[in-house]
Structure formats: structure tokens, C-alpha cells
Amino acid sequence: MNQPLSSSTPSSTSDWQALAGKLTIEGRAYINGAYQWAARGETFASVSPIDGRELAAIASCDDADADLAVEAAKSAFESGVWSQLPPGKRKAVLLRFADLIQAHGDELALLETLDMGKPISHARSVDVPATARAIRWTAEAIDKVYGELAPTPHNQIGMISREPVGVVAAIVPWNFPMIMASWKIAPALATGNSVILKPSEKSPLTAIRLAALAEEAGIPSGVFTVLPGYGHTVGKALALHMDVDCLVFTGSTNVAKQLMIYAGQSNMKRVWLEAGGKSPNIVFADAPDLKKAAAEAASAIAFNQGEVCTAGSRLLVENSIRGEFVGLICEALKTWRPGHPLDPATTCGAIVDQAQLDRIIDYIGIGQSEGASLVEGGQRIMEETGGLFVQPTVFDGVNNRMRIASEEIFGPVLSVIGFDTMDEAIAIANDSIYGLAAAVWTANINTAHKVAKALRAGSVWINHYDGGDMTAPFGGFKQSGNGRDKSVHAFDKYTELKATWLVLE
Ligand code: NAD
């Protein structure tokens, strides 16, 4: 049943299309160790943004399925079948899970691309390995973390230990469906919890497929569940559920705020949020290599069609080099022309759905009406394919108070803002409700560190954009969220601290 779909990775569009023809797409939920349709029989269509083709009928889960899933998850947790396994045994199962993800990499990449439109070369070279790495790294770490002993008087022992929180619901977005899921499920499972994953209704296919691989790896029934469906139905039901102990989320700031309300209205479940961003990418005139800075600034807004929470969507450029730098960016964006996502040479794919495309086109109109100057792109293209494509777009002469500079667009639309002094750059960069990421380009070590310290952001990159690894925590200041994914800090979300105090007779 779980044989890899291909023996070698396709190298042309037609090979990928042929492989797509061999796919059998699973659309059912995975509850208590079995694929099944939603209890009320509802479905919705998964439609590919590449050509408008219907890919599969997907189970549209709701509160009835959430109840079944939570009951199974809770009873698996209480049975100890996973929660009480030695960490080394959970590690072994998760390592097998990571191996299976790699072995099925072509199929998973294909599902991701067909479902949400990203280029197949990125799905294969970024999404699949990053997902496997998140699971593998976390599995490797789990039998190397220790508890603590409190500094006590001689006749006492104070043990500080971590225990799994219980039933974890993970609600994730569509831009990196597998990676975002792996950042939650890896630490949640490694620490012994039962996990219910709710993928976005716009990209459920890989999450559903992962359930079968998790089962094959040896994750017991009820410990890992996948509930596809809409946010306002099954997502809300999970967030309000009295037996969900912890809710972890990646998505928009508005939904994140709603989830905090749901937690308050129900059982005060722990809520951990990774939300939106409007990240500043600050280029000083003394940046060591302006061409490299421009290439990375282009990638920071065009990679994954700009549908990236850390997209460098506000480009702050020192005015003395602004004209030259905008020219370099427009040149660099030539390597980011949209194309067919199954063409291995494509770097910029389709926008996830019509609503998101409309949102991007609307913002391009708003930028023009706000008086910013459109210097690159701005058009929907390739409409004849039936797909949803837009040109990477650059606005120069943007003021930070314009909507295109203050609101998250979540598409390939760059706002260039000029500055004259370091203090001005810092003030503009921090003038945002968000604080997810930021970058600074300068050859001056004092400027680099002063700016990095002053930036109110969870990740700061110096002389590059979007660095990091599983070894470093990821998350936001301000309305970009709370808590951190990745690294051993992620374990904080999925464990309760217990203080056990013993007084010796
Ligand atoms: P979204 O907030 O619309 O949806 C995210 C998830 O929440 C989906 O699964 C959706 O079904 C669910 N949801 C929606 N309404 C809900 C409700 N009332 N109750 C429960 N669940 C509900 O976000 P999106 O459009 O899928 O993703 C884009 C957003 O995600 C952007 O704002 C982006 O910045 C953010 N994002 C953040 C990070 C990060 O790590 N900070 C990473 C990727 C994406």
C-alpha cells in the first residue's frame, strides 16, 4: 500500500505530469487509526490552482468528527501507549516516519504542488527535506533533554520535570502545508502527546497522506489524527473543545486572536500562535555586495509566490542608493517569472486560490491609488492556462503608512521605502503591528549589531535573508504571535512543568 510512487525523481514537466496521472489521491480523514469520511458525509472539492482541475473530494469534517477524534486521542493518551513510551522508543518511531517521508518525497512534493501551486522543484528540494528534517532533528533531541533539580536545603529534593500536556490540536495554513505541520507535530509527538492535525481547507492533501506514513512508521491508533475541513467548522470545534489541552496554530493574526477567545470561552487550553508578518529588509548604502542583497531581496518577496509569513515585503533602502538598488531588484526579479509549477525550471508558481489572487490584485490597485509608483509587474498573467498567476510586483516611493506597507498582502508585492539615517530606518522597521522577522545589510559591524538589537522581531538576519535551521527558535514579537517553533524551545509548548518536592525524614 505504501510503495513509493516513483523509483527516480522526474526531470521534466511531462515526467511529472505522467507521475501525476498515476496518483491515487486520498481525501478521507484519518481518525483512530483508519481513513474515513466525515461523520455527516459532507465533502468539499480540492481544486488545483495550476489549471482549475478538481483533484479529489475531501472529507469536510465538523464538530462530530472533532468529538470522535478528541475522544480517541484522549483515550490513547491516557492508555500510555505513546505518552509513556521511553523517549528513545518514540524517537525510533519518529525517525522511521522521517525516513518514510523522504522515501515518498516525489509523491508528497507532487501533492503539494498540485494542491497549492508552488513550483515542483521547491516542493521537492525545500518542503519535503525540511519536513523530514524537522521530524528527524526533533526525534534526535528528545532523548537528550533532562529535567532539573531545584537548589534545596540538605534534607529536601525538588524535582522539576516536564510532562506531555495531553491532546494537542494543530491548525495550520496552506503556504507550506507540510513544513508548518511538521514544526507542530514533531515536538508534540516527541514529547508524548496525542496530536490532531487540521490542515487548511486550501491544501489538505499532504497532511492526509502523512497519516498513512505515520501509521506505517508505528505511531499507534489515536495518537495522530488528521481532520480536513474548514476553519469555522472543524477548526472552531477543536478550539472550543473541552478535552483539547493545547491549541497550536500557524495562520493569520485575525484568526489567531479568535482562537484566544475560543480558549477563554472553553477550558483555557494553552494557545500558541504563529501569525502574520510585514517584515522589514533594511539595506544600508555600505552593504557589502549590493547585487547579492538585491538578489536576496527579490527572492524574499518572490519565493513561494510571496506567500511566506517572513516575506521581506517592506524593503527599506538608504536613499543615496535607492535608484540603483531598485534597478538591481527589477533585474533580479527576471529570474522569478511565473511558469507552469510542474516545470522543474519554474521558480514562481500559481497563487493558491481565486480569493488570494483577488486579494493580491486588489492590493496592487490600492498601491497605485495611494500614490506609490509601480516600477515592476502588477499584472495577472497566463490566464489562458486556467491557472492563477501574477507577476512579481515592485512599488517604489512607498510611505510606511500606506496600506501596502502596513497590511500583510501575502503575495509577491514589494514596497520600497527610502530612509536617510539609521534611527529613521529602525523607527520605520518597528512601526508595524507585526514583529516576525527582519534583515539588515551593512558592512559596518556597529550598525549591524545596533540595528539587530533595536529591531522588535523574533528573527533578525544580518547580510542575508531568511537564514536559520531547526537549531534556532522561530516565532514572533507583537501580533506575529507567541511561543516558538523549532529547536528545543518548541518543547515548552507541548509540556507542563511539574515541581515534585520531597522532604526527607
Ligand atoms: P488563516 O488564518 O486564514 O487560516 C489558517 C488555519 O486556520 C486554516 O487551517 C484555517 O482553516 C483555520 N481557521 C480559519 N478560521 C478558523 C476559526 N474560526 N477557527 C479555527 N480555525 C480556523 O491563514 P492562511 O490564509 O491559511 O495562511 C496565511 C497566514 O498564515 C498569513 O497571515 C501568514 O503570515 C501566516 N503564516 C504565519 C507563519 C508563522 O510562522 N508566523 C507561517 C506561515 C504562515
Side-chain angles (χ1 to χ4, degrees):
M1 157 191 148
N2 268 330
Q3 286 308 308
L5 189 65
S6 54
S7 50
S8 62
T9 298
S11 56
S12 68
T13 313
S14 56
D15 287 352
W16 278 111
Q17 278 166 333
L19 202 61
K22 294 204 303 187
L23 271 177
T24 312
I25 299 180
E26 179 61 74
R28 291 175 294 172
Y30 182 84
I31 304 172
N32 208 7
Y35 279 113
Q36 48 195 278
W37 291 108
R40 294 197 173 93
E42 297 288 323
T43 60
F44 64 90
S46 155
V47 174
S48 178
I50 298 176
D51 51 13
R53 192 165 63 90
E54 187 172 328
L55 297 166
I58 307 295
S60 185
C61 295
D62 60 20
D63 56 325
D65 307 284
D67 285 346
L68 286 174
V70 174
E71 198 186 321
K74 188 176 174 194
S75 99
F77 182 75
E78 288 173 351
S79 77
V81 62
W82 180 255
S83 55
Q84 291 170 21
L85 270 191
K89 291 212 165 145
R90 289 199 298 266
K91 162 180 157 176
V93 172
L94 290 172
L95 290 177
R96 266 201 302 280
F97 188 24
D99 289 345
L100 285 166
I101 288 169
Q102 274 191 314
H104 293 265
D106 290 343
E107 179 186 355
L108 290 166
L110 194 51
L111 288 171
E112 206 82 303
T113 289
L114 293 172
D115 209 9
M116 57 70 68
K118 70 172 63 203
I120 191 69
S121 52
H122 295 165
R124 191 68 189 86
S125 68
V126 178
D127 295 69
V128 170
T131 302
R133 172 154 171 77
I135 293 169
R136 184 169 291 123
W137 189 93
T138 310
E140 288 286 4
I142 195 62
D143 63 352
K144 297 168 190 71
V145 284
Y146 292 76
E148 298 162 31
L149 280 182
T152 53
H154 190 67
N155 67 336
Q156 298 179 19
I157 300 174
M159 293 174 283
I160 301 165
S161 56
R162 284 183 183 275
E163 295 183 2
V165 67
V167 176
V168 174
I171 299 180
V172 296
W174 47 263
N175 60 337
F176 293 97
M178 269 192 300
I179 299 179
M180 294 301 105
S182 70
W183 288 2
K184 316 291 187 201
I185 64 182
L189 288 171
T191 44
N193 298 281
S194 293
V195 181
I196 300 171
L197 173 64
K198 198 223 64 81
S200 168
E201 60 278 15
K202 301 182 185 189
S203 62
L205 300 184
T206 46
I208 295 173
R209 185 71 182 97
L210 285 180
L213 301 180
E215 179 182 296
E216 187 177 338
I219 294 178
S221 293
V223 172
F224 182 54
T225 302
V226 179
L227 293 184
Y230 292 101
H232 64 275
T233 56
V234 69
K236 180 176 174 183
L238 289 169
L240 281 169
H241 205 292
M242 295 301 286
D243 285 328
V244 169
D245 301 291
C246 169
L247 179 62
V248 286
F249 171 80
T250 297
S252 62
T253 292
N254 281 344
V255 173
K257 291 179 179 176
Q258 187 59 47
L259 297 184
M260 297 177 104
I261 294 172
Y262 291 150
Q265 286 171 337
S266 54
N267 61 344
M268 227 171 95
K269 53 182 67 65
R270 283 80 182 103
V271 184
W272 300 104
L273 308 161
E274 299 286 347
K278 194 76 191 178
S279 299
N281 183 13
I282 308 169
V283 183
F284 285 90
D286 69 351
D289 180 347
L290 283 186
K291 249 184 145 172
K292 176 171 180 256
E296 292 204 22
S299 159
I301 195 63
F303 176 68
N304 213 48
Q305 305 71 244
E307 298 162 333
V308 182
C309 53
T310 53
S313 51
R314 289 187 297 148
L315 179 64
L316 278 52
V317 187
E318 192 163 346
N319 277 323
S320 58
I321 56 157
R322 202 172 100 217
E324 178 194 356
F325 198 75
V326 168
L328 289 172
I329 290 260
C330 295
E331 188 59 31
L333 279 173
K334 289 194 175 126
T335 59
W336 292 95
R337 288 215 177 94
H340 195 294
L342 289 182
D343 179 347
T346 292
T347 50
C348 202
I351 299 299
V352 69
D353 69 359
Q354 188 67 48
Q356 188 62 20
L357 180 73
D358 292 346
R359 177 184 167 90
I360 294 166
I361 299 289
D362 276 358
Y363 271 107
I364 293 171
I366 289 167
Q368 286 170 303
S369 63
E370 284 179 314
S373 109
L374 179 67
V375 293
E376 181 71 28
Q379 299 294 321
R380 177 178 181 182
I381 53 168
M382 295 164 61
E383 220 170 324
E384 68 290 353
T385 62
L388 309 171
F389 299 90
V390 65
Q391 294 171 320
T393 297
V394 180
F395 281 104
D396 193 9
V398 177
N399 171 322
N400 200 48
R401 288 299 158 101
M402 290 178 183
R403 287 183 60 195
I404 55 167
S406 59
E407 296 173 14
E408 186 182 44
I409 300 173
F410 222 56
V413 181
L414 181 65
S415 292
V416 182
I417 303 167
F419 69 86
D420 291 311
T421 65
M422 182 174 75
D423 288 346
E424 192 188 355
I426 292 167
I428 296 170
N430 286 337
D431 180 18
S432 169
I433 63 164
Y434 299 112
L436 192 56
V440 50
W441 297 77
T442 174
N444 183 321
I445 194 166
N446 289 306
T447 310
H449 280 287
K450 275 187 176 166
V451 175
K453 272 179 185 276
L455 288 168
R456 305 279 301 152
S459 296
V460 177
W461 302 303
I462 298 174
N463 291 335
H464 71 280
Y465 202 89
D466 209 9
D469 182 34
M470 277 306 294
T471 48
F474 177 85
F477 284 26
K478 302 193 267 183
Q479 293 186 42
S480 288
N482 63 346
R484 294 295 180 265
D485 282 339
K486 302 165 72 182
S487 83
V488 287
H489 293 281
F491 295 142
D492 294 348
K493 290 181 173 180
Y494 304 100
T495 50
E496 295 284 12
L497 277 179
K498 180 178 275 181
T500 308
W501 211 265
L502 176 69
V503 178
L504 301 172
E505 291 297 326

